Structure formats: C-alpha cells, structure tokens
Amino acid sequence: QVQLVESGGGLVQAGGSLRLSCAASERISSINAMGWYRQAPGKQRELVATNTGADRTNYADSVKGRFTISRDNAKNTVYLQMNSLKPEDTAVYYCKISSNWYDYWGQGTQVTVSS
C-alpha cells in the first residue's frame, strides 16, 4: 500500500521560511496531479497549491507570490517552498497525489508561524 511521508514542518517566526516535502513510499503510475492542502483549527481543509505537470501550477490567492510548489517525478516527491510566512499560515499541511484511479493523502505536518 502506497504511503505518502511528509516532512519539513515546524515552528517559525513570521517572515521566515519552511520547505515541506512529501515522498511516496513506492512509484505511483499515471499521476494526474500533486498538491498541498492545509487545515487550520476550526476551519475546513483548503487548497494551497497544485501541480498538474510541467509548469502547470495553481495557487490559493492567499499564498500567491510567497509559496512555490515543485515536483520530482523520478522520486515521486512533491515540495512546497513557503516564504514570508504569516501567522495565518498556521495549519496542518497535507500533501495529495492523484492518479487515474486513486487519491493518496499524507498524514499531515504541523506548521506554526509565531508573530
């Protein structure tokens, strides 16, 4: 069974940076999209960024210009570079890899931004 393992979360001061990584435990074929979502306490899970191949990316308005999603297909890994972090970015971040047949989710990694 494929598992997505996330890393890179933690505590950072406002204005700082973090880089999240999400690696699949084995190769996933026919990937349609890789993405990151987040869920803050008391709120619904929301889309942060997606990559559907090559340079096709999509970002939530709240993170445009600050976050960058990238992927390494050979490693079945997706990254999220987060710069200029704000306290409102505090949430559990989840990665998702979608294939033709199934959506795989990571276990989540906590990102806390202090003011």
Side-chain angles (χ1 to χ4, degrees), residues 2 6 15 80 97:
V2 176
E6 301 168 3
L80 185 68
I97 297 179

Side-chain angles (χ1 to χ4, degrees), residues 59-70:
Y59 295 93
D61 288 343
S62 59
V63 306
K64 282 182 180 177
R66 299 188 298 121
F67 290 11
T68 303
I69 187 171
S70 60

Side-chain angles (χ1 to χ4, degrees), residues 28-46:
I28 300 173
S29 61
S30 302
I31 293 176
N32 294 324
M34 293 182 171
W36 289 94
Y37 295 73
R38 67 186 181 187
Q39 187 166 18
K43 295 186 177 181
Q44 290 187 333
R45 190 173 298 189
E46 63 175 1

Side-chain angles (χ1 to χ4, degrees), residues 6 21 27 29-32 39 44 46 48 58 60 62 65 67 71 77 79 82 92 97 101-102 104 109 115:
E6 301 168 3
S21 299
R27 185 179 179 277
S29 61
S30 302
I31 293 176
N32 294 324
Q39 187 166 18
Q44 290 187 333
E46 63 175 1
V48 176
N58 181 52
S62 59
F67 290 11
R71 60 194 280 179
T77 301
Y79 305 96
M82 305 186 293
V92 177
I97 297 179
W101 306 280
Y102 196 77
Y104 301 90
T109 185
S115 57

Side-chain angles (χ1 to χ4, degrees), residues 7-8 18 35 49 62 70 73 95 101 103 105-107 110-112 115:
S7 60
L18 285 173
S62 59
S70 60
N73 291 328
C95 64
W101 306 280
D103 290 336
W105 286 91
Q107 81 285 359
Q110 177 70 45
V111 171
T112 302
S115 57

